[in-house]
Amino acid sequence: MSGVLRIELRRSLLVRVAPLAAVGLVALMLSDRHQWQGVWPEASAAITAPLCYLGPALAGAAAWEARRRRGERDSRNGGEPWAGPLLAAYLLAGAGVIAVGAICAVAVNLSASAPVGFLWPSYLIIALAVVSECLAVGVLLGRLGGPAWFAPVVAVLACFLRLITTQGTAVGAPESRLTRVFLAGHAWVALTPAGVTLAVVEAAIVIAAALALPGLLAALRARRERTAFPQPRRTRVAVTAGCAVCVLGAGLVLTGPPLTVERAIPEHPVCTDTQLRLCVWPEDAARLPALTTLAERAAEQADALGLELPDHVSAYGLEPGASNFTIESDSVWFAANDLAGIIVGSAVSVDCLPTDADPDAADFYRAYGELQGLIELRLQDADARPAGMGDTREIDREEISRVARSDQATQDAWIQERLDTMRDSAAEQCR
């Protein structure tokens, strides 16, 4: 077997092009480097994200080569001694592609002052399961025969739909049990051991089907056509037991626990050394320099407006129910928006916020959003939001940018007008 495997490793076309797949994985990871560099869970998840495209591509290539290897004589009697070694060679090549992605993530993180830690094994296991399952799907469809185009096209579509339709489910949602690629690996999210195990079980079922199902179908066809002897009782028992195990495993995968859950809150989060302390998960420590600048500017803005801030604000998940901020990639724009909202929100009492039935509610929240937008720009020392950063609120971003570029007196008058609108509405509500 080892000798045949070595031969397949040398002659397989997919194994030869695996280095190109590894280069593609690294290129896709580096194209979104700002999203994950310096944060170990983000870097771990970044290895899985490109598999949404590379996985189906590898499945198509595996299906094409398996279909080319398949002969009419083998397909009739189920004798395909090359299938096992070929799939084993594919799996080793797929593992090599994931290993190259892991090396890239480690190298980038070590050069980006990442905190103490390493890649999260749970994401790596999921990545290996995804690649293995896609390759097995390709081999399975390639061995089933059909027109030359059928196996590659169906393999690509099946794997792509499998990955894309289950991506992006909410953390803790039952549907997350089927998620296999992650566009982000937030520090407050963890993958459950049971969910990771079931992902491996799913891949193992598909691998077993790729190795056994074509032969079983060929044997059934031969028996129906009375061109083969009935299988021995021991073989029938083994086949029945294997099918039962696969059905049980598939049932566990479809009904298992969520794959993603919120992590337990750490005892010692890391915080900025500023008047307003911004606290983050230990894995996000690389974001502290940018957050330090943001915290200093937030305290200055609050003092200038005569507003009060809490002594600290925590990143999402560290203090459930409290005011918090979010971090997306190495940009602190979202955190700036959250802090601007906290600053503006301190201008009125929470008990005096207008309800939807209040006729002044629209004016209040428009003034709130516009003032938050200006303070956000001040916190970022900018006069406009980055292109592509959307906002669902009905506020005039162009006007806010125009005010941000105006002189100090104009800005002060504009700010005071919004504060007066908010306070008048709140006073009416609490009368």
Side-chain angles (χ1 to χ4, degrees):
M1 177 67 177
S2 60
V4 178
L5 177 59
R6 286 195 297 269
I7 293 174
E8 292 295 351
L9 287 172
R10 289 196 302 267
R11 68 181 290 219
S12 169
L13 178 62
L14 188 143
V15 173
R16 294 177 185 175
V17 302
L20 295 179
V23 171
L25 176 64
V26 171
L28 290 172
M29 289 175 61
L30 294 180
S31 68
D32 202 21
R33 176 177 176 174
H34 67 280
Q35 173 76 24
W36 53 268
Q37 63 180 357
V39 182
W40 288 113
E42 292 279 10
S44 305
I47 300 172
T48 72
L51 298 181
C52 190
Y53 306 102
L54 288 179
L58 291 174
W64 181 85
E65 185 168 15
R67 173 65 180 79
R68 186 171 60 86
R69 295 280 190 93
R70 180 182 180 274
E72 288 297 327
R73 183 177 180 180
D74 288 337
S75 66
R76 176 167 290 276
N77 59 27
E80 294 179 337
W82 50 265
L86 181 66
L87 180 55
Y90 286 173
L91 297 180
L92 289 176
V97 172
I98 299 303
V100 172
I103 292 172
C104 170
V106 171
V108 171
N109 264 17
L110 291 180
S111 65
S113 302
V116 177
F118 200 66
L119 295 176
W120 287 16
S122 54
Y123 286 107
L124 295 180
I125 294 174
I126 292 291
L128 290 171
V130 169
V131 170
S132 300
E133 184 171 341
C134 289
L135 291 170
V137 167
V139 171
L140 172 61
L141 293 173
R143 294 184 66 194
L144 291 179
W149 59 267
F150 176 80
V153 172
V154 174
V156 170
L157 290 177
C159 291
F160 180 74
L161 291 176
R162 167 66 185 91
L163 296 176
I164 198 67
T165 56
T166 58
Q167 183 271 325
T169 54
V171 176
E175 297 80 9
S176 71
R177 68 171 70 91
L178 298 177
T179 300
R180 294 296 180 266
V181 293
F182 303 88
L183 300 184
H186 298 297
W188 52 273
V189 177
L191 305 187
T192 62
V196 173
T197 300
L198 290 178
V200 175
V201 170
E202 178 184 339
I205 291 173
V206 179
I207 291 173
L211 294 175
L213 186 58
L216 292 176
L217 293 177
L220 289 175
R221 184 167 56 252
R223 184 178 178 183
R224 187 174 60 251
E225 296 173 355
R226 300 182 182 279
T227 59
F229 291 105
Q231 293 178 331
R233 183 175 182 276
R234 180 178 299 179
T235 302
R236 295 198 302 271
V237 171
V239 170
T240 302
C243 292
V245 170
C246 289
V247 170
L248 177 60
L252 292 175
V253 172
L254 294 175
T255 61
L259 176 61
T260 57
V261 294
E262 294 189 8
R263 286 178 66 196
I265 299 174
E267 294 184 4
H268 304 290
V270 294
C271 305
T272 60
D273 186 16
T274 51
Q275 176 184 346
L276 168 64
R277 292 184 295 114
L278 300 183
C279 300
V280 298
W281 293 80
E283 290 80 7
D284 286 324
R287 311 300 191 215
L288 287 180
L291 290 174
T292 297
T293 301
L294 196 64
E296 293 172 347
R297 292 173 179 169
E300 293 173 358
Q301 290 300 312
D303 291 341
L305 298 176
L307 302 176
E308 294 184 359
L309 284 177
D311 61 346
H312 75 280
V313 182
S314 297
Y316 180 82
L318 285 177
E319 290 186 82
S323 297
N324 53 61
F325 63 92
T326 57
I327 303 175
E328 293 290 342
S329 69
D330 61 355
S331 169
V332 292
W333 272 99
F334 289 97
N337 181 68
D338 294 333
L339 290 178
I342 294 173
I343 293 173
V344 176
S346 66
V348 297
S349 171
V350 175
D351 298 329
C352 298
L353 294 177
T355 63
D356 292 339
D358 192 330
D360 296 332
D363 293 336
F364 175 90
Y365 286 108
R366 185 180 300 107
Y368 187 110
E370 290 174 346
L371 186 52
Q372 181 181 1
L374 179 62
I375 295 178
E376 175 190 356
L377 295 181
R378 287 183 167 187
L379 294 182
Q380 289 288 66
D381 192 23
D383 56 19
R385 268 189 165 193
M389 187 174 180
D391 194 337
T392 58
R393 295 172 297 180
E394 296 182 358
I395 58 176
D396 191 344
R397 286 286 174 185
E398 292 184 0
E399 180 188 0
I400 295 173
S401 296
R402 178 184 58 79
V403 173
R405 291 190 293 266
S406 63
D407 58 77
Q408 188 63 45
T410 301
Q411 292 189 39
D412 291 342
W414 191 88
I415 291 173
Q416 191 60 48
E417 182 180 349
R418 270 77 190 156
L419 287 174
D420 291 343
T421 298
M422 293 173 56
R423 286 166 175 162
D424 291 345
S425 179
E428 185 69 23
Q429 184 69 21
C430 284
R431 180 176 297 177

